Amino acid sequence: MKPKKTCVSALPTPLVTRSANYAYIPTPPETKTTNHRVSQSWAIANNLLVSFKYAWNGVAYAFRTQRNFRIHTAIGTLAVSLGFWLHLSFVEIAIIGLTISAVMALELLNTAIESVVDLTAGKSYHELARIAKDCAAGAVLISSLAALLVAGVLILPALLTAMQVWLQGV
């Protein structure tokens, strides 16, 4: 009887389950650290709720650390609130919500790109690092200008009409 052949994986190390919530690919002993958060940085969520937790951690991090993300959140909340107060149609409010979420998603991507660039470039200046950061910020700027245009087209006429009615009543 011939011995069974074992399949050789393309990965250098096998996928090892660490707990019921996630799996990780072990790091070589020379790069292991005692910091629990760093040792889990390569974790792969195999549970949908854990994936949502990781995603929410990213949003919470951006809200805590990024001034522009907080500004976008405040202005977005104001725009949607104004939309409801001005009795805009649900389609108009949905369009406003989509543009706000596009701006906020790009702000999250900008934060991620800046973090990765800072991680790789360290404290040294590199022209490509500057270009990557500037382009990511430019994407946020363009989406913000588009959101202002959408808000101007949808909210401004209704707001001016409401102000005119209010001033005539005074």
Side-chain angles (χ1 to χ4, degrees):
M1 183 174 199
K2 288 185 178 180
K4 286 185 178 180
K5 290 184 178 180
T6 57
C7 179
V8 178
S9 173
L11 293 175
T13 57
L15 188 64
V16 178
T17 303
R18 192 171 219 196
S19 77
N21 290 336
Y22 60 88
Y24 80 106
I25 299 172
T27 57
E30 65 274 7
T31 60
K32 283 195 177 181
T33 178
T34 56
N35 184 342
H36 185 47
R37 289 186 137 202
V38 173
S39 68
Q40 291 183 3
S41 67
W42 296 101
I44 301 168
N46 59 9
N47 179 328
L48 187 61
L49 291 177
V50 173
S51 295
F52 283 126
K53 180 186 143 207
Y54 290 155
W56 185 252
N57 286 344
V59 173
Y61 173 82
F63 191 82
R64 275 192 324 272
T65 62
Q66 304 298 311
R67 180 195 66 216
N68 290 347
F69 191 81
R70 290 190 299 271
I71 291 169
H72 293 310
T73 302
I75 291 173
T77 303
L78 177 67
V80 171
S81 300
L82 267 174
F84 280 114
W85 183 70
L86 294 169
H87 303 291
L88 296 181
S89 72
F90 288 123
V91 172
E92 292 170 323
I93 293 174
I95 291 170
I96 292 168
L98 284 172
T99 57
I100 291 165
S101 61
V103 170
M104 294 177 76
L106 283 171
E107 187 65 49
L108 287 168
L109 287 173
N110 180 41
T111 300
I113 289 169
E114 286 182 351
S115 296
V116 170
V117 167
D118 289 345
L119 176 69
T120 54
K123 295 195 182 273
S124 63
Y125 175 81
H126 196 285
E127 185 65 19
L128 292 175
R130 183 192 64 78
I131 291 169
K133 286 181 159 191
D134 289 352
C135 288
V140 176
L141 176 65
I142 289 172
S143 67
S144 298
L145 293 174
L148 278 175
L149 178 68
V150 168
V153 168
L154 297 177
I155 293 176
L156 199 55
L159 185 61
L160 292 174
T161 303
M163 288 176 56
Q164 192 175 30
V165 168
W166 180 74
L167 287 174
Q168 287 176 354
V170 172

